Amino acid sequence: MARHSGGRGWYGKLIGAALGVTMLATGASVWTTHAVTPGGSSAKPSAPATPGGDIKPVAATIAHASEAGERGVNITIDDGPDPVWTPQMLDLLREYEVKATFCMVGTQAQAHPDLVKKVVADGHRLCDHSVSHNTAMDKDSQTYQSQQILDAERMITKASGGVRPMYYRAPGGAFTPYSRQLAASRGMRPLGWNVDTKDFERPGTAAIVATVERELPNGPTLLFHDAGGDRTQTVEALRQLLPQLKEQGYSFGFPVR
């Protein structure tokens, strides 16, 4: 999986003394035919708020497939929540009755808990996308990887009002065997993607749509962004793609767990 950028990422600028992140110690593609129709338009939490002792480990392999079956599509949206772009995407998803998976950066979730709660209330699922979006975190120590994953999990869960993330997506795909096992032990399935829309580069709405049309045969999980810059093109691309994919017989679901 291609990395979006090198170094610590633009979120690194948000990390300062005020964050007070606690270092936590720790002991440690194919399309699926398992058809599970995503929830309807009624709002429901993406996962129950359970105490730590009730966490059930999941598979540590990187998920790409969809719970919605052979013609399923997973909309995944990274790097938020953002007060400008996340509400627009939520409105669009609600209009077309589509559920998505929001891969949230811990500092963003902590800064905008109202948006995290709105995502959950609309029936979408949460994904841990680390604390500071360091796309080179696979080069750092296990202690650092643990802090990035577990502190983000804590921040997102607190911001949501107790709903835990169901997936972990490493920034830029910077997974390690350790980070995958750690996330899986916390009930968060490592989450990959099949179609990188490159929307973060702002190539134009038409280019984003064309990338999805060209690469969707590679697999069902599509990668978009709702933070990190102007996402007008992403919003407009989704406005075209959601009804278009429905007309082509695709259904929208969540990644397998």
Side-chain angles (χ1 to χ4, degrees), residues 161-225:
V163 179
R164 300 183 58 257
M166 299 177 71
Y167 307 92
Y168 166 65
R169 173 175 277 167
F175 289 102
T176 65
Y178 173 80
S179 68
R180 289 190 291 105
Q181 290 289 345
L182 175 61
S185 74
R186 299 289 302 169
M188 297 184 291
R189 180 74 183 265
L191 178 59
W193 62 82
N194 304 106
V195 181
D196 186 350
T197 65
K198 304 290 186 181
D199 64 330
F200 60 93
E201 296 178 351
R202 289 182 283 182
T205 297
I208 296 170
V209 171
T211 296
V212 173
E213 294 172 338
R214 181 179 64 253
E215 297 186 11
L216 186 55
N218 296 335
T221 301
L222 313 184
L223 173 59
F224 299 93
H225 296 80

Side-chain angles (χ1 to χ4, degrees), residues 67-85:
E67 289 181 349
E70 291 182 344
R71 297 284 288 178
V73 171
N74 304 322
I75 301 295
T76 65
I77 302 174
D78 285 19
D79 295 1
D82 179 272
V84 174
W85 306 108

Side-chain angles (χ1 to χ4, degrees), residues 36-39 66-69 71-75 93 96-100 220 222 224 238 241-247 249-254:
V36 178
T37 303
S66 178
E67 289 181 349
R71 297 284 288 178
V73 171
N74 304 322
I75 301 295
L93 292 166
Y96 291 103
E97 299 184 332
V98 170
K99 303 304 180 188
L222 313 184
F224 299 93
L238 284 169
L241 285 165
L242 297 182
Q244 176 181 313
L245 291 172
K246 281 192 172 185
E247 290 172 2
Y250 290 99
S251 58
F252 294 94
F254 295 116

Side-chain angles (χ1 to χ4, degrees), residues 137-195:
M137 64 181 286
D138 55 332
K139 306 297 192 244
D140 278 291
S141 67
Q142 291 184 354
T143 299
Y144 176 82
Q145 294 175 49
S146 172
Q147 173 260 320
Q148 287 287 307
I149 295 168
L150 299 183
D151 278 6
E153 177 194 9
R154 174 181 57 78
M155 291 173 178
I156 295 166
T157 302
K158 181 178 180 181
S160 72
V163 179
R164 300 183 58 257
M166 299 177 71
Y167 307 92
Y168 166 65
R169 173 175 277 167
F175 289 102
T176 65
Y178 173 80
S179 68
R180 289 190 291 105
Q181 290 289 345
L182 175 61
S185 74
R186 299 289 302 169
M188 297 184 291
R189 180 74 183 265
L191 178 59
W193 62 82
N194 304 106
V195 181

